[in-house]
Amino acid sequence: MKLIMMLPVLMIAWQTSAAEKPKSTKPISSELLAASQASDWRPLDLENTLYMDLANGRVIIELAPDFAPQHVANIKALAREKYWDGLAVVRVQDGYVVQWADPNSEKADLKRKIKTAKETLPAEFDRVLPPTVPFKKLKDKDVYAAETGFSNGFAAGRDPKTKKAWLLHCYGSVGAGRDVAADSGGGSELYAVIGHSPRHLDRNTTVVGRVVQGVEFLSSLPRGHGALGFYEKPEQNVAIKSIKLASDVPEKERVQLEVLRTDTPLFEKLIEAKRNRAEDWFHFQAGHVEACNVTVPVRKKP
Amino acid sequence: MKLIMMLPVLMIAWQTSAAEKPKSTKPISSELLAASQASDWRPLDLENTLYMDLANGRVIIELAPDFAPQHVANIKALAREKYWDGLAVVRVQDGYVVQWADPNSEKADLKRKIKTAKETLPAEFDRVLPPTVPFKKLKDKDVYAAETGFSNGFAAGRDPKTKKAWLLHCYGSVGAGRDVAADSGGGSELYAVIGHSPRHLDRNTTVVGRVVQGVEFLSSLPRGHGALGFYEKPEQNVAIKSIKLASDVPEKERVQLEVLRTDTPLFEKLIEAKRNRAEDWFHFQAGHVEACNVTVPVRKKP
């Protein structure tokens, strides 16, 4: 079996036998993570974590109140009023996005009423981050943004002229759908990226967070064949059992996850290990890395 | 239903009602394609097209002999000796790759023998293209390559110093797996990209082509949960009915596809329409485009 990319166990065996090449002393991602300290990780904030339960598994989404405070507050209100429970994934466009919504949103008499949350909100496409919010700048250039970097585990862009920052559309990013008007979204219809990062969407929608576990339960769903990947028949819709805030779930039903901190020396080394891959398998060093190719690691709390 | 991105029919309705914003005169991708001429398209070369038939559908792969002549010749020999028929997809790593191979490749007594093709080949990670092969350079910068562009429908990189070019790892790109040694691949184990473009693999494997139709039959497969996304149990492997060259299939069983030419004024306009999206839905113009976000259109022959 040829491997394309390797995990720690295989790496060790292969490095031992690869006597023809001097062993690299440069850091390797898997070794860096294996040697990480407890202080390199932070627990997910249960107040900003969604559990989206489908028949095939649980999708866990970390919300980003630093970037979209109003949308995140509204999404939390929607979860608490059980807005999505019994609604569905209605769109799976290959290489692009999975979207969930009220299948009856166009039918005034059948659509689910929003009770405590707001129907729509002003756009939060970008914003000046509060001074307490870190932004770890990547030295690599980017095709779309003047600057990219990481903020509390999220890949972000920043414009040094306006000082505004925004979350990037990377694989697994979650955003709020909207109609043509910028303020026509509000978080009741959300989407997750399941293909190559559609960076042209940056600053065109409000990105509210990212999937930190279980994105496969969205990305492996059958594709929709209507326009834009919408399912054509109601029976194709994939039911959402519930979307709940982790803090509202009994402790024993919670998943204890930790996210690698992005403001540490370890994270700097990890980025360097992705720019120049010291694994024996790599013969050519890219020398660069794109923010969306630095997936911030998530693990079960040891 | 909020849409994130629109198709022609919806666009027209919305543009009419969006009276507050003057209608753009800039080109829109869907309108450009709708107004294309027959001469803007080329048929797939049946001699360089693979039909990979799975139980759930047909994956169609266009091979790129300009970039990997030896690998493409070997893959054609493998298809003609029916090497893959009855073998399987053995690996589905979420956000990364789907890989197909002989599930018994590690068992000397059970593994399928290669008859007419070669077991391994020298790497074709990059090469100086023959002068007859076009390379339409993108003006946008790239994170990984000094230059990117398009060659006969394939997204490619190029180094102006060495004059060497290579195919990019974009969504749907197909490459040859290998072990640690550069010349340990040969095309018998292939993979397709099903996530954010893993551009750090560029020039580390031989990319042999791209999926032009049916990538969803790979990207929606259940994920593997062994190391690197390999399936853990043999019964999880997804059987390959057959992989055949289109030219070896009876004419009535062929799929008549055309690929948009990438050496035309229309393609230039299409790239511009992706750099600056004139659809009313877009409020922020990226002003740039990444090669892997310009998916070269494919259609059924009208």
Side-chain angles (χ1 to χ4, degrees):
Chain A
M1 226 48 92
K2 303 183 195 308
L3 290 169
I4 308 174
M5 202 173 161
M6 293 148 290
L7 283 186
V9 181
L10 292 162
M11 279 302 305
I12 291 158
W14 288 3
Q15 280 174 356
T16 309
S17 67
E20 74 282 7
K21 194 176 165 187
K23 190 164 175 167
S24 171
T25 54
K26 288 184 181 165
I28 290 177
S29 302
S30 55
E31 294 175 359
L32 288 171
L33 292 176
S36 65
Q37 305 297 308
S39 57
D40 288 315
W41 301 81
R42 64 169 171 82
L44 276 186
D45 175 4
L46 300 178
E47 272 292 322
N48 284 303
T49 300
L50 293 180
Y51 292 161
M52 175 185 194
D53 286 333
L54 305 173
N56 59 346
R58 173 173 284 180
V59 182
I60 303 182
I61 296 165
E62 183 177 22
L63 298 169
D66 291 336
F67 287 82
Q70 294 186 68
H71 279 73
V72 167
N74 209 43
I75 287 165
K76 290 163 70 168
L78 287 161
R80 288 201 155 120
E81 68 176 62
K82 303 183 198 297
Y83 173 76
W84 289 289
D85 300 9
L87 299 185
V89 173
V90 293
R91 175 189 186 192
V92 184
Q93 186 171 355
D94 191 77
Y96 195 48
V97 295
V98 165
Q99 189 168 338
W100 52 100
D102 182 353
N104 294 313
S105 66
E106 314 276 294
K107 297 171 189 157
D109 51 330
L110 290 175
K111 74 182 262 194
R112 181 162 301 185
K113 301 286 180 296
I114 290 177
K115 296 170 217 156
T116 61
K118 292 181 178 134
E119 295 268 354
T120 59
L121 287 172
E124 295 177 293
F125 296 161
D126 55 6
R127 76 188 289 249
V128 177
L129 294 178
T132 50
V133 178
F135 185 94
K136 167 76 201 146
K137 194 179 146 184
L138 253 191
K139 70 179 181 189
D140 309 80
K141 62 188 175 182
D142 181 77
V143 176
Y144 293 90
E147 293 179 356
T148 60
F150 294 87
S151 179
N152 286 334
F154 293 97
R158 191 169 63 178
D159 182 338
K161 289 179 197 153
T162 63
K163 312 283 183 207
K164 286 187 175 178
W166 59 91
L167 292 183
L168 305 185
H169 277 86
C170 297
Y171 191 88
S173 292
V174 175
R178 62 164 173 85
D179 292 326
V180 170
D183 59 359
S184 58
S188 60
E189 298 200 13
L190 296 171
Y191 64 90
V193 172
I194 57 156
H196 178 68
S197 305
R199 296 284 310 282
H200 50 282
L201 296 179
D202 289 0
R203 288 184 270 183
N204 275 300
T205 64
T206 300
V207 180
V208 300
R210 72 168 181 125
V211 178
V212 288
Q213 188 175 289
V215 68
E216 68 177 89
F217 301 122
L218 299 174
S219 57
S220 66
L221 288 174
R223 275 46 184 161
H225 295 116
L228 303 165
F230 280 93
Y231 290 130
E232 290 175 299
K233 298 173 187 165
E235 60 268 30
Q236 294 173 308
N237 292 336
V238 178
I240 298 168
K241 285 190 190 172
S242 65
I243 298 184
K244 290 179 182 160
L245 268 176
S247 54
D248 291 344
V249 166
E251 191 164 355
K252 63 177 181 186
E253 293 169 28
R254 291 179 195 156
V255 184
Q256 301 293 339
L257 294 181
E258 295 185 328
V259 179
L260 193 75
R261 287 178 56 180
T262 50
D263 58 351
T264 59
L266 177 69
F267 188 66
E268 291 250 22
K269 284 182 201 162
L270 187 73
I271 288 174
E272 191 51 39
K274 288 183 180 281
R275 268 191 203 109
N276 294 297
R277 299 197 182 223
E279 294 94 333
D280 283 329
W281 187 87
F282 284 89
H283 294 266
F284 176 81
Q285 296 301 329
H288 305 283
V289 72
E290 192 192 343
C292 287
N293 264 327
V294 184
T295 307
V296 177
V298 176
R299 68 174 186 185
K300 278 209 170 148
K301 193 175 171 177
Chain B
M1 229 47 93
K2 303 184 197 304
L3 290 168
I4 309 177
M5 201 174 163
M6 292 147 293
L7 281 187
V9 181
L10 292 162
M11 281 300 306
I12 292 159
W14 287 3
Q15 280 173 356
T16 310
S17 68
E20 74 282 6
K21 194 176 164 186
K23 189 164 176 168
S24 170
T25 55
K26 287 184 183 165
I28 290 177
S29 302
S30 56
E31 294 174 359
L32 288 171
L33 292 176
S36 66
Q37 305 296 308
S39 57
D40 288 316
W41 301 80
R42 64 167 171 84
L44 276 186
D45 175 4
L46 301 177
E47 271 293 322
N48 285 303
T49 300
L50 292 180
Y51 291 161
M52 177 185 193
D53 286 334
L54 306 173
N56 60 347
R58 174 173 283 179
V59 182
I60 302 182
I61 296 166
E62 184 178 21
L63 298 169
D66 291 336
F67 287 83
Q70 295 186 68
H71 278 73
V72 167
N74 207 44
I75 286 165
K76 289 163 71 168
L78 287 160
R80 289 202 156 120
E81 68 175 62
K82 303 183 197 299
Y83 173 75
W84 289 290
D85 300 10
L87 299 186
V89 173
V90 294
R91 175 190 186 192
V92 184
Q93 187 171 355
D94 192 76
Y96 194 49
V97 295
V98 165
Q99 189 168 340
W100 52 100
D102 182 353
N104 293 315
S105 66
E106 314 278 295
K107 297 172 191 157
D109 51 332
L110 290 175
K111 74 184 263 194
R112 182 160 301 184
K113 300 287 180 292
I114 291 178
K115 296 171 220 157
T116 62
K118 293 182 177 131
E119 295 268 354
T120 59
L121 287 172
E124 295 177 291
F125 296 161
D126 55 6
R127 76 187 289 249
V128 178
L129 294 178
T132 51
V133 178
F135 185 95
K136 167 76 202 147
K137 193 180 148 186
L138 254 190
K139 70 179 182 190
D140 308 80
K141 63 186 174 182
D142 181 75
V143 175
Y144 292 91
E147 294 179 355
T148 59
F150 294 87
S151 180
N152 287 335
F154 293 97
R158 192 168 63 179
D159 183 337
K161 289 179 200 155
T162 63
K163 313 285 182 202
K164 287 188 175 179
W166 59 92
L167 293 183
L168 306 184
H169 277 86
C170 296
Y171 190 88
S173 292
V174 175
R178 64 164 173 84
D179 292 325
V180 170
D183 59 358
S184 58
S188 61
E189 297 200 13
L190 295 170
Y191 64 89
V193 172
I194 58 156
H196 178 67
S197 304
R199 295 285 309 280
H200 50 282
L201 296 180
D202 289 1
R203 289 184 268 181
N204 275 300
T205 64
T206 300
V207 180
V208 300
R210 72 169 180 124
V211 178
V212 289
Q213 188 175 290
V215 68
E216 67 178 90
F217 301 121
L218 299 174
S219 57
S220 65
L221 289 175
R223 275 45 184 163
H225 295 114
L228 303 166
F230 280 93
Y231 290 129
E232 290 174 299
K233 296 173 189 166
E235 60 268 31
Q236 294 173 310
N237 292 337
V238 178
I240 297 169
K241 285 189 190 173
S242 65
I243 298 184
K244 290 179 181 160
L245 267 176
S247 54
D248 291 343
V249 166
E251 192 164 354
K252 62 178 183 191
E253 291 169 29
R254 291 178 196 158
V255 184
Q256 300 294 338
L257 293 181
E258 296 185 328
V259 180
L260 194 74
R261 288 178 54 179
T262 50
D263 58 352
T264 58
L266 177 69
F267 188 66
E268 291 249 22
K269 285 182 199 162
L270 188 74
I271 288 174
E272 190 51 40
K274 289 185 180 280
R275 269 190 201 110
N276 293 296
R277 300 196 181 223
E279 294 94 333
D280 283 330
W281 188 85
F282 284 89
H283 294 267
F284 176 81
Q285 297 301 330
H288 305 284
V289 72
E290 191 192 345
C292 286
N293 264 327
V294 183
T295 307
V296 177
V298 176
R299 68 174 186 184
K300 277 209 171 145
K301 193 176 173 178

